[in-house]
Each structure stands twice: as structure tokens, then as C-alpha cells.
Amino acid sequence: MNKQIMPIMLSNEPAAACWGEKALISTSDTGMTIHLTEENRLGAIQRGGRKVDGQGIRNVALVGDGWDLERSWAFWLGFRAPKGARSIEWPQLKDADKHELESRIRIVDWVRDTINTPAEELGPEQLAQRTVDLFCGLDKEDISYKITKGADLRDQNYAGIYTVGRGSSRDPVYLALDFNPTKDSNAPVFACLVGKGITFDSGGYSIKPSSSMNSMKADMGGAATLAGALALAITRGLNKRVKLLLCIADNMVSGNAFKLGDIIRYRNGKSVEIMNTDAEGRLVLADGLIDASNIAPELIIDAATLTGAAKVAVGNDYHSVLSFDDKLAAELLTSAEQENELFWRLPLADFHRSQLPSSFADLNNIAAPSHTAGASTAAAFLSHFVTDYKKGWVHIDCSATYRKSSVEQWAAGATGYGVRSIANLLLAKAK
């Protein structure tokens, strides 16, 4: 074996005492061994991958017994990092598992790379085009799309996206992508996926401090996650029509930026008073949810890096799930469990919908000061733009999309978390 390639093996036995109590990794003249002596073996392998990378090792081969699809993928999740090239010689897998692994690497890595790209290089138009390129590379015949931008959004009354994005020198964009394997233009749409694509969020006039702004290139994580989820579902054999609706803009400060006290009037008749320009994600998602509701699919999923409140509730390890549909929420949690991803349901009730009072409009874009359930009231705001909000709609607040610094199982940057779970849910519901 090439001496520049480090063999990585698995063992169910503890490491020798000389490596320390409960050591995860040991080294010998035959390579490195990850010791799987704890209950969460996939987690141990992911942490092992991170430790291997942390030692500056960039080229490895997964050898010996015990390497299957999920274990190989867990190693890659930990081993991969945003800076520097890495290579893996994969173990022999069954054809179906090999196809699945290759799809995950291609698509989840696309999600991670897209989220990690600096905002200077990835504006609204670039995100839309990058998404189109991903899907055209999968199956051009089944994909059609429309990109609406700038003044055309205003003229077509996409009031939220246009208002949020008008303060930037880069035009806001709405991408409507149609995956239609039936080839029938009249085929019903099974699902609509609505993603928040804020390519940089300064907070607007409710400006963020630097410590909160320095990761805001990742505020388009919901859009990237849903794009990846649909792409992965397609590679897994999705055979029903799905529309991907991405609401994309910069949220910047300028003489043309929207201001506190402004009122946005939406196509569904709702008016919204702006009391915080940093609560902009819900404003752009509203346009996508109106379109989704007009299409009337069986399933509507929206995903967004929407609130800090969700991250306070569940940390950086879980995605938050909010829905009025108990069955759908349970199905998403089951899908996540099957894909070894962590999702957690947060409360959402009818009374949250009344906690957004305004003296000048139908809604305020933030909850009244006496109400502190920020993730719940944000989801409740979105529900006002979903016609049948109690059935077939689920909101994902993407708390685990991005990490500012590395931890024992993740490198700094985007995780790609949630792609597999949402793809699984689409396939399960499409049966």
C-alpha cells in the first residue's frame, strides 16, 4: 500500500492501556485503529475521522472488517473540512450502497461547499444558478425552472423578497424549480419545498453585532439544505412531482433598505408591520409559502436558519421541527432517526398566531415583548401564509446547519445536516 495513504481500521476492542483510558484511536505500524467501545458507534467513527484529520492526515484508506455504508459515511462527515483536499479509498460495498455513498458525497458536499462559500462570491443570482446547475447535472429532462429577479419581483408582487433585498446592490431572486418525472405538465404537485436563501444578513437597520454577523454567509442554509434534499431524493428514485421554491436576497443597510415601521402588503391580502429588520427570513419565506399554498400540494416543507431562539432551545446539534400536523411531525422525526440525524420538535399552537399584534397592519414581524417563544412565534408568523396550515405543512428551523468553530465531531463550517432526513421523508410520503 502507498506509504502516503494511512490505513484506517475498526476494532470492537478497547485500545491498549498505553494510549490512555478509553482512548478512541491507537496507532501501529499497520495504520490507525478507531476503537468502538461505546454505544454510539457511528458517533465514535465520526469523532475518529475528525481526530485523524486533526493530525494533518489527508489521504486514508478504510480497510479491514466492519466498514459498511453508514460507517464509511460517518467517517467522511468527521474527516471532511472546508480547507484543503482530502481523499479516501473506500471499502468494497454493494452496488446499491456504493451508489448511495457516491450520491451523498456529491450532494451533501455540494450543500456544505455552497453554505461555506463567502457572501462576496455567492450572491442571490449565484445561489440560484448554482442550484440550477446541481439539478441539471442530475437529470435535465425532468427539470424546468424560472428565475425572477429585481424589479420583476416588485412588478409581480413578491413583496417580501423584493422589500428585503432592495437594500442591496445585488438583485433579490426567486427561483421556482420544477422536478416533474411524469413529463405531464398537468400532473399534480406532490410537494413544495420553500427555502430561505439570505446570502448575507447584516440585520438591516436592526444591525447585528460583529459576533453575530460573522457567520451570516450561512443564512442561506435552509435553501441549500432543501435543494440538496430534493437532489438526494431524486438519486434515490423519487418519482413524484416536486417544486423547489427558493426565496433569495441580501439583507443590507443602505439608503434604499427597508425600515422599521414600514408595512409590507402581500398577495394573499396580509399586511405586515416591520418592527425588526433582522427578522427578515420570515418575510421572504412568506412569498414562497403563498405560492406553495396556491399550488395546493399534499406536502409543504419550509426550511430556514430562522431564529436564534431555536438554537438556544436545542443547541447546535439538532434541527428544530414545528408543525400543527402531529402525524407529519412524527413522520419527519422517524425519517431523521432512520438517517441518524437529530431533529427535535418544538411547540406550535394556535395561540402563538395571536402573539404578533400590530396597531397598523394585520401582523407584526416579531412577537410582542411579553411573548418570548421566538421559534414558535416565528413559525406562527409563517402559518399565516399557508392556507391549510394545520395539515401537510412542517417548518424546520435549521439550528444545526453551521458551526462557527470545530468541535470533536465536526470541522468548522457547514454540516449538510438535514439533507438525508428530508429526502427520506419525501420518499416515504411519495409511496
Side-chain angles (χ1 to χ4, degrees):
M1 183 173 288
N2 190 324
K3 293 182 180 179
Q4 295 180 341
I5 297 176
M6 176 63 72
I8 307 295
M9 295 159 282
L10 299 176
S11 174
N12 295 323
E13 301 298 324
C18 63
W19 294 102
E21 186 179 0
K22 298 182 179 179
L24 178 61
I25 286 182
S26 66
T27 303
S28 69
D29 55 3
T30 60
M32 303 180 76
T33 300
I34 301 174
H35 296 272
L36 307 181
T37 56
E38 59 184 62
E39 184 175 346
N40 182 7
R41 296 191 169 191
L42 293 179
I45 292 171
Q46 185 172 342
R47 289 190 290 110
R50 186 91 296 277
K51 283 183 176 291
V52 170
D53 182 73
Q55 295 186 29
I57 297 167
R58 299 293 182 264
N59 304 294
V60 304
L62 307 184
V63 301
D65 296 333
W67 289 108
D68 58 13
L69 168 63
E70 294 303 332
R71 290 181 171 190
S72 299
W73 178 247
F75 183 87
W76 179 239
L77 287 178
F79 184 58
R80 189 187 192 278
K83 187 169 68 175
R86 287 154 184 79
S87 69
I88 295 184
E89 290 185 4
W90 301 100
Q92 290 291 324
L93 299 173
K94 298 177 182 178
D95 288 345
D97 288 347
K98 182 179 179 182
H99 172 74
E100 170 68 12
L101 180 62
E102 290 172 348
S103 295
R104 290 185 197 176
I105 292 169
R106 177 182 180 185
I107 293 165
V108 178
D109 280 8
W110 177 92
V111 173
R112 296 176 80 173
D113 288 340
T114 300
I115 294 172
N116 284 337
T117 301
E120 180 66 17
E121 301 172 21
L122 191 78
E125 290 187 61
Q126 289 80 15
L127 176 56
Q129 188 59 54
R130 189 166 178 150
T131 302
V132 169
D133 291 344
L134 170 67
F135 283 93
C136 288
L138 294 178
D139 195 334
K140 292 183 179 180
E141 293 183 358
D142 293 340
I143 300 294
S144 61
Y145 64 91
K146 179 181 179 182
I147 295 175
T148 308
K149 65 179 184 178
D152 288 340
L153 288 168
R154 177 194 61 205
D155 295 343
Q156 296 177 33
N157 205 17
Y158 285 87
I161 302 171
Y162 177 75
T163 299
V164 170
R166 75 184 192 209
S168 174
S169 60
R170 307 191 292 190
D171 284 338
V173 169
Y174 181 62
L175 170 63
L177 185 143
D178 187 358
F179 168 65
N180 186 5
T182 71
K183 310 292 193 300
D184 177 5
S185 61
N186 296 315
V189 176
F190 157 65
C192 285
L193 311 180
V194 183
K196 172 188 172 183
I198 301 297
T199 45
F200 189 77
D201 182 16
S202 71
Y205 279 106
S206 304
I207 194 164
K208 296 176 182 287
S210 293
S211 60
S212 298
M213 202 190 300
N214 60 11
S215 60
M216 284 300 103
K217 65 181 182 182
D219 209 22
M220 35 60 66
T225 298
L226 288 179
L230 177 56
L232 184 61
I234 291 170
T235 68
R236 289 179 174 182
L238 181 67
N239 60 4
K240 287 193 176 181
R241 188 177 186 182
V242 176
K243 289 199 173 186
L244 177 70
L245 309 175
L246 301 187
C247 310
I248 312 173
D250 285 334
N251 184 25
M252 304 296 283
V253 180
S254 75
N256 197 39
F258 73 127
K259 301 166 287 295
L260 281 76
D262 285 355
I263 293 177
I264 301 178
R265 293 177 172 85
Y266 286 91
R267 287 167 291 143
N268 70 341
K270 296 284 186 180
S271 59
V272 176
E273 182 183 12
I274 306 304
M275 281 289 101
N276 188 325
T277 61
D278 195 24
E280 87 297 330
R282 65 200 70 183
L283 301 176
V284 301
L285 283 174
D287 279 324
L289 290 171
I290 291 170
D291 274 2
S293 291
N294 289 337
I295 293 167
E298 177 183 332
L299 176 65
I300 298 175
I301 303 172
D302 79 75
T305 49
L306 201 63
T307 67
K311 193 171 290 186
V312 170
V314 302
N316 213 175
D317 299 300
Y318 288 78
H319 280 329
S320 302
V321 177
L322 297 100
S323 181
F324 289 94
D325 188 331
D326 292 339
K327 182 174 182 292
L328 177 56
E331 289 171 333
L332 176 53
L333 293 174
T334 298
S335 292
E337 184 178 3
Q338 291 169 346
E339 297 287 347
N340 302 303
E341 294 184 324
L342 299 175
F343 281 59
W344 194 267
R345 190 177 183 185
L346 295 181
L348 181 60
D350 269 314
F351 66 80
H352 290 121
R353 288 167 47 88
S354 64
Q355 294 180 351
L356 301 152
S358 167
S359 299
F360 301 96
D362 297 323
L363 299 168
N364 198 316
N365 78 318
I366 57 171
S370 57
H371 302 296
T372 57
S376 299
T377 54
F381 177 93
L382 296 176
S383 74
H384 285 277
F385 299 89
V386 181
T387 301
D388 189 6
Y389 66 89
K390 288 196 173 182
K391 183 179 181 182
W393 167 61
V394 63
H395 162 63
I396 302 169
D397 202 326
C398 299
S399 313
T401 295
Y402 186 88
R403 291 181 174 273
K404 286 188 176 184
S405 58
S406 62
V407 291
E408 63 177 359
Q409 72 271 40
W410 294 103
T415 63
Y417 220 65
V419 169
R420 294 172 56 194
S421 299
I422 298 168
N424 189 358
L425 178 68
L426 287 172
L427 289 162
K429 297 288 287 183
K431 289 181 179 178

